[in-house]
Amino acid sequence: MQSKISRRAVVKGGLIAGALIPAIGLMADSAGAAGLPPLDPKDPTAQALGFVPDASKVDAAANPTFKPTQKCSTCAQYQGKASDATAGCNIFAGKSVPAGGWCKVLGAEARRVSI
């Protein structure tokens, strides 16, 4: 009572597994980002970078690189889509930031782009 496994079945199984593994990884990433705690504006790193959860409340006099169009969702460090309300941030590892937030990293990116 031996059953033979054909080469075709092995290849087919490998292709299916190869397609499912990345899909499972993508689902795990999005679930992990949703579970991140929000960044506290009183966090030492957040304070050092002038983080504010609402970019409309940035003190432009204290942050000369600030532009009204800048917000976390337009930053290269934002790990979500622009339409996400919150997402992870490469600067504030392990924390989520609001899409409408702002920090001095955005101002630094604007200087780099304009040079």
Side-chain angles (χ1 to χ4, degrees):
M1 288 251 193
Q2 285 183 321
S3 65
K4 290 186 177 182
I5 299 175
S6 70
R7 214 175 326 166
R8 182 176 295 179
V10 171
V11 170
K12 185 177 176 182
L15 290 173
I16 291 171
L20 288 178
I21 290 172
I24 292 169
L26 289 174
M27 287 186 284
D29 285 347
S30 63
L36 293 175
L39 175 65
D40 182 0
K42 295 177 183 173
D43 177 274
T45 306
Q47 286 184 331
L49 292 174
F51 172 77
V52 291
D54 184 357
S56 67
K57 297 183 178 162
V58 173
D59 180 5
N63 297 291
T65 60
F66 171 74
K67 292 187 176 53
T69 58
Q70 296 173 335
K71 55 187 176 182
C72 289
S73 64
T74 62
C75 179
Q77 305 306 319
Y78 191 69
Q79 296 176 330
K81 294 179 254 174
S83 61
D84 293 343
T86 63
C89 175
N90 290 328
I91 303 301
F92 306 108
K95 304 288 183 181
S96 66
V97 295
W102 185 89
C103 78
K104 292 180 182 178
V105 170
L106 281 163
E109 285 183 358
R111 281 195 310 271
R112 244 182 289 136
V113 170
S114 65
I115 294 176

